[in-house]
Amino acid sequence: MSIWEALAVFAAGIGAGTINTIVGSGTLFTFPVLLAIGLPPVTANVSNTIGLVTGNISGAIGYRRELRGQGARAVRLGATALAGGLAGAVLLLALPSKAFDAIVPALIGIALVLVVLQPRLAKALARRRERNGTEATAHPDGGPALLVGLLLASAYGGYFGAAQGVLYLSLMGLLLREDLQRINALKNILAVVVNGVAALFFIFAAHVNWTAALLIAAGSTLGGQIGAKVGRRLSPTALRGVIVVVGVVAIVQMVLR
């Protein structure tokens, strides 16, 4: 890896850590860069997952105030996320690499659609809460519907993970009686759990490009703090635009490989 490639990976890690803390989809920053420097798709995904763990932790620490009073809920939802994340990681290595090459462009495309539609979804959720008198559901912890949804979203996160945070925010926004900032804090905890269990599995069972993983780890740790401190001041429209451009580049790269 040349010095310029290393700088590009580090910068992508900063961007990923920042946007993961704010909403998710950071993999759409790092994954295309890892492909561009010549890593095979599965190795790129594995190294990326390991590298982003410290950024997830950094973002969760930055949102620690919003986690107050949610400890028991975080443990319950985290257990579900752990099971789903491990299942997704196992699937990544169990399926042939050609399957990953075929599936990931579709997953990135779905992730981009979710990113673009997020504002409309948020407005729809707000209208729903207004109609229900701010009561999103009769169950304070979302009930079985949230657990099933989180299990599937976490399996997706363990397998690839782009826009995993968007899925979490959508599910919990619909099914929990909490404001968005407290939900975002929970989202960061769940991302730590899923990326953490997948990373541990990959360390012992997969080929890792440690140079790339460590560069992303350093960048995403810095990005996590940036996202927690100043991310709310950034234009959501601008962030979504950058994600879409990077995601399209990733799709084109994988299709043309």
Side-chain angles (χ1 to χ4, degrees):
M1 188 183 301
S2 71
I3 183 64
W4 296 111
E5 289 174 336
L7 288 173
V9 173
F10 177 70
I14 294 175
T18 300
I19 199 165
N20 272 344
T21 302
I22 299 168
V23 64
S25 308
T27 291
L28 296 181
F29 280 80
T30 47
F31 189 69
V33 173
L34 295 180
L35 292 181
I37 67 172
L39 295 189
V42 173
T43 301
N45 189 47
V46 166
S47 306
N48 179 63
T49 297
I50 294 172
L52 288 178
V53 172
T54 56
N56 295 141
I57 294 172
S58 178
I61 292 172
Y63 266 89
R64 61 189 178 277
R65 290 193 301 271
E66 287 83 0
L67 284 170
R68 290 173 184 166
Q70 298 197 85
R73 174 187 287 163
V75 170
R76 284 191 292 272
L77 299 183
T80 301
L82 187 148
L86 181 58
V90 171
L91 280 176
L92 176 67
L93 299 187
L95 294 175
S97 60
K98 289 184 179 179
F100 184 82
D101 293 346
I103 293 169
V104 166
L107 293 180
I108 295 175
I110 293 170
L112 294 180
V113 171
L114 289 172
V115 169
V116 171
L117 292 181
Q118 188 191 13
R120 294 185 181 181
L121 180 59
K123 290 178 181 178
L125 295 178
R127 288 194 296 269
R128 183 182 188 277
R129 287 181 170 179
E130 288 177 3
R131 287 196 302 269
N132 295 343
T134 71
E135 294 292 316
T137 177
H139 197 292
D141 283 329
L146 180 57
L147 292 179
V148 172
L150 286 179
L151 183 67
L152 295 175
S154 299
Y156 166 75
Y159 185 84
F160 183 55
Q164 172 191 350
V166 175
L167 292 175
Y168 284 154
L169 289 174
S170 301
L171 284 167
M172 292 189 288
L174 181 64
L175 297 169
L176 288 180
R177 295 178 300 202
E178 288 288 359
D179 65 64
L180 186 59
Q181 293 303 330
R182 283 172 62 80
I183 287 173
N184 198 36
L186 269 178
K187 177 266 292 178
N188 288 331
I189 289 294
L190 296 180
V192 170
V193 171
V194 171
N195 271 11
V197 70
L200 284 174
F201 178 75
F202 291 150
I203 286 172
F204 294 102
H207 174 68
V208 181
N209 185 303
W210 283 105
T211 301
L214 292 174
L215 286 168
I216 291 174
S220 66
T221 301
L222 176 58
Q225 290 302 302
I226 294 172
K229 292 180 180 178
V230 304
R232 298 182 189 121
R233 304 174 188 173
L234 300 178
S235 165
T237 301
L239 283 173
R240 280 191 295 274
V242 172
I243 293 170
V244 170
V245 170
V246 173
V248 169
V249 171
I251 292 173
V252 171
Q253 279 190 327
M254 293 207 69
V255 170
L256 296 180
R257 283 177 68 89

